[in-house]
Amino acid sequence: MKMWITLAGLLIACALPAQEKLDLPKCRQMALENSKKLGIAGRQSAKATFDKKVYRANFFPKISGMGMYAYMQKDYSFTIDGGYLPTYVPDASGKLLPNLLLDAANRPVIGPDGNYVFRQYAFLPDINLSLGLDNAYTVGGVVEQPVYMGGKIRSAFRMASIGVEMAELNLKSVCAEVITETDEAYWQFLRLKELVVSAGKYKDVVAELVRSLTDAYQTGMASQNDLLKAQVKLNEAELLLQKAQNGEKLAEMNLCRVIGVDLGTLLQVKDSLYDGITPGVLSVDGSGVTARPEYGMLDRNIELKKNQTKLTRADFLPQLGISASYAWTDGISVNGEADGMASFMAMASLKVPVFHWGEGRNKTKAMKAEEEMSELQKEDMVRLMQLEEAKTRFNVEDAAARVRLTAKSLLQAKENLMVSKNRYEVGMESLTNYMEAQAQWQKAWSDWIDAKAELRVSETHYLRATGRLE
């Protein structure tokens, strides 16, 4: 029997949803670990780092290997025509002079074709050549080094470095966004949990009144009209409780989504909606919006535009590069004989733009205009961020004041409820007034819970607006 009880207990335990005990720091950590947005931002940061390494490689020489292979089935044959060649004889100084035929007057003889006639001719026979490419190949290496590219390499590398900085700032911004979403879901869940408690207490109070009126009606001490009024209020209280419970379940599922656990997980939180502003929230160290990652991204964007201007200008400046290569060639045969050959070659390349019909000047001016646009955009965005900072600070102050006032109203409503109940029990208060006191007490409690949740969320938004949401 005990074995079956144990087995049944295990089956019931396995059927229950998993439970998580959480507090706000743990929720934040889980949300950051499971955030897809943060994962994308992390990949972007890694990509920017690799891009920087790619552009850094342009400062160093590039070493390449090369090879070529050729095979021709038939040799290429051709003939260099021969013929008679004039002869030359040296004079007393050793200088070669044409060996011309002279007449009796010691003048060169001119032939029928109008050319000088030589005393002797050398005969050159025809030369037959055969060029073969049987398994011809070339192997070697090339070293290339840019010397001056108009600043293009330096500007591109600086832009890549700025890209890394912007990716890191974007990562911080996404972290703040994820933390804000987590805080909103967390405090909303706690808000609904407390609303369920208040709705349950309100239902209990109304249910007690209905039981009292039912007994009084059965003994003829209360009218049916009063009982029906109380029963209507009980129905409203039950509906209010059901809405609060459904809202709590949805808030719990939303928090599960944010922290990356199964939506059916039962969450147990350690915190509560406490009163008062968190110490140090409104203490600003003077940095203001400059501590926000968005502000840093605006700064980097201006610097990026400046380097884009330099990069555009570099296309229209002189460019100088050098290269050296060493190769071994073999397999080329002449008349069936082949001999390998090693060769070294060095080259320098200089490109100087001369006239492009104003293309370079106009492109540079266009990029300069974009640079000025980014500066104006920064000024506008900074004003918006300063406005957001002030707005969130006022929201925190208003929420703190609302917490104090709603807490005071709750005490007054609770006292009013006790007085109304005592007066109703001795017949000095009408049922309508008593039920109205109950409703006011429940509303004051709900307002107090809403105010506390709003204060916690307002604190998060203010910390994000001042760049202090870590």
Side-chain angles (χ1 to χ4, degrees):
M1 184 66 180
K2 291 182 178 179
M3 182 184 68
W4 287 107
I5 294 175
T6 304
L7 181 59
L10 290 175
L11 291 174
I12 293 173
C14 293
L16 291 175
Q19 294 186 355
E20 287 280 351
K21 293 184 179 181
L22 303 171
D23 55 9
L24 183 58
K26 187 175 181 180
C27 284
R28 287 180 172 183
Q29 179 183 357
M30 294 176 67
L32 291 174
E33 291 174 353
N34 293 278
S35 173
K36 300 299 184 291
K37 292 180 181 179
L38 198 59
I40 294 174
R43 302 302 187 280
Q44 290 175 340
S45 180
K47 177 182 179 299
T49 301
F50 292 134
D51 287 341
K52 179 181 178 180
K53 293 180 179 179
V54 170
Y55 284 104
R56 184 167 63 97
N58 292 328
F59 288 104
F60 304 103
K62 289 181 173 58
I63 302 175
S64 307
M66 65 176 184
M68 183 185 69
Y69 174 82
Y71 173 79
M72 183 180 293
Q73 181 181 6
K74 294 183 179 180
D75 294 345
Y76 176 66
S77 300
F78 59 96
T79 300
I80 300 177
D81 295 334
Y84 292 95
L85 301 177
T87 59
Y88 290 77
V89 294
D91 60 4
S93 63
K95 181 178 179 182
L96 292 178
L97 297 176
N99 187 15
L100 299 177
L101 180 64
L102 303 177
D103 58 10
N106 204 25
R107 291 176 300 181
V109 177
I110 298 176
D113 57 358
N115 295 321
Y116 291 112
V117 178
F118 284 75
R119 197 182 294 274
Q120 291 180 340
Y121 288 88
F123 178 73
L124 177 67
D126 293 342
I127 300 176
N128 296 318
L129 295 177
S130 177
L131 179 64
L133 296 177
D134 298 338
N135 298 320
Y137 66 90
T138 297
V139 293
V142 180
V143 178
E144 298 172 295
Q145 173 64 53
V147 179
Y148 179 72
M149 294 288 112
K152 178 183 294 187
I153 296 177
R154 184 171 57 254
S155 297
F157 176 72
R158 181 54 188 154
M159 289 172 63
S161 301
I162 296 171
V164 172
E165 297 173 5
M166 294 182 71
E168 292 174 352
L169 290 170
N170 180 63
L171 188 62
K172 291 182 179 180
S173 178
V174 174
C175 282
E177 181 181 345
V178 172
I179 292 175
T180 301
E181 183 181 10
T182 305
D183 286 11
E184 290 175 348
Y186 184 82
W187 295 120
Q188 177 70 359
F189 177 51
L190 263 67
R191 169 182 170 270
L192 268 300
K193 283 183 70 69
E194 293 201 14
L195 284 178
V196 168
V197 174
S198 69
K201 293 290 185 181
Y202 176 60
K203 176 190 172 184
D204 292 342
V205 171
V206 178
E208 181 184 357
L209 176 61
V210 171
R211 287 193 298 269
S212 176
L213 286 174
T214 301
D215 294 339
Y217 173 71
Q218 291 175 353
T219 59
M221 300 286 294
S223 65
Q224 185 180 10
N225 187 33
D226 287 346
L227 178 59
L228 292 174
K229 289 181 181 179
Q231 288 174 341
V232 169
K233 281 295 181 181
L234 181 59
N235 294 335
E236 293 177 356
E238 290 177 349
L239 180 59
L240 183 65
L241 177 59
Q242 181 179 344
K243 287 184 176 180
Q245 290 173 339
N246 291 338
E248 178 190 10
K249 187 58 182 176
L250 287 175
E252 185 179 36
M253 294 175 65
N254 183 51
L255 183 57
C256 289
R257 176 192 65 83
V258 172
I259 64 178
V261 299
D262 188 79
L263 296 184
T265 305
L266 299 178
L267 302 180
Q268 295 181 359
V269 294
K270 302 177 183 179
D271 294 323
S272 61
L273 292 173
Y274 46 87
D275 300 339
I277 300 178
T278 304
V281 169
L282 293 180
S283 59
V284 182
D285 57 1
S287 59
V289 298
T290 57
R292 293 182 59 169
E294 292 86 351
Y295 184 90
M297 292 175 68
L298 290 172
D299 267 345
R300 301 306 186 280
N301 185 54
I302 293 176
E303 190 174 355
L304 185 68
K305 294 298 182 182
K306 290 180 179 179
N307 281 275
Q308 284 181 339
T309 302
K310 294 179 181 178
L311 187 66
T312 302
R313 187 184 297 115
D315 289 333
F316 301 92
L317 294 176
Q319 298 180 3
L320 174 63
I322 58 175
S323 65
S325 63
Y326 184 84
W328 171 264
T329 303
D330 201 355
I332 302 176
S333 62
V334 179
N335 292 341
E337 296 182 0
D339 189 13
M341 178 183 67
S343 61
F344 172 80
M345 181 175 64
M347 294 179 59
S349 174
L350 176 63
K351 177 184 176 182
V352 182
V354 178
F355 187 67
H356 290 266
W357 301 97
E359 179 186 2
R361 182 174 62 256
N362 292 324
K363 280 188 175 181
T364 303
K365 288 183 177 180
M367 289 306 305
K368 189 66 177 178
E370 286 195 20
E371 179 184 333
E372 294 171 353
M373 288 165 57
S374 63
E375 292 176 352
L376 293 173
Q377 183 182 15
K378 177 193 172 183
E379 294 178 3
D380 185 48
M381 293 301 297
V382 167
R383 290 192 180 95
L384 289 176
M385 286 190 289
Q386 290 172 342
L387 182 63
E388 183 182 2
E389 178 188 0
K391 179 182 178 181
T392 53
R393 183 176 68 252
F394 294 150
N395 287 343
V396 172
E397 294 172 351
D398 292 344
R402 185 184 174 198
V403 169
R404 292 192 300 269
L405 294 175
T406 52
K408 185 177 179 181
S409 297
L410 178 59
L411 291 175
Q412 294 170 344
K414 186 176 181 180
E415 183 178 357
N416 179 57
L417 177 61
M418 294 176 60
V419 172
S420 181
K421 179 181 179 182
N422 294 333
R423 289 174 60 87
Y424 172 75
E425 290 176 349
V426 297
M428 298 179 63
E429 184 85 316
S430 66
L431 177 63
T432 302
N433 290 340
Y434 179 40
M435 289 191 298
E436 183 180 354
Q438 291 176 339
Q440 289 176 348
W441 168 71
Q442 193 278 329
K443 183 178 183 303
W445 196 351
S446 298
D447 290 343
W448 182 57
I449 294 172
D450 291 343
K452 291 190 293 181
E454 182 184 355
L455 176 59
R456 298 284 80 89
V457 174
S458 297
E459 288 178 350
T460 299
H461 285 289
Y462 176 69
L463 290 175
R464 182 182 179 184
T466 54
R468 294 185 292 155
L469 189 59
E470 297 293 341

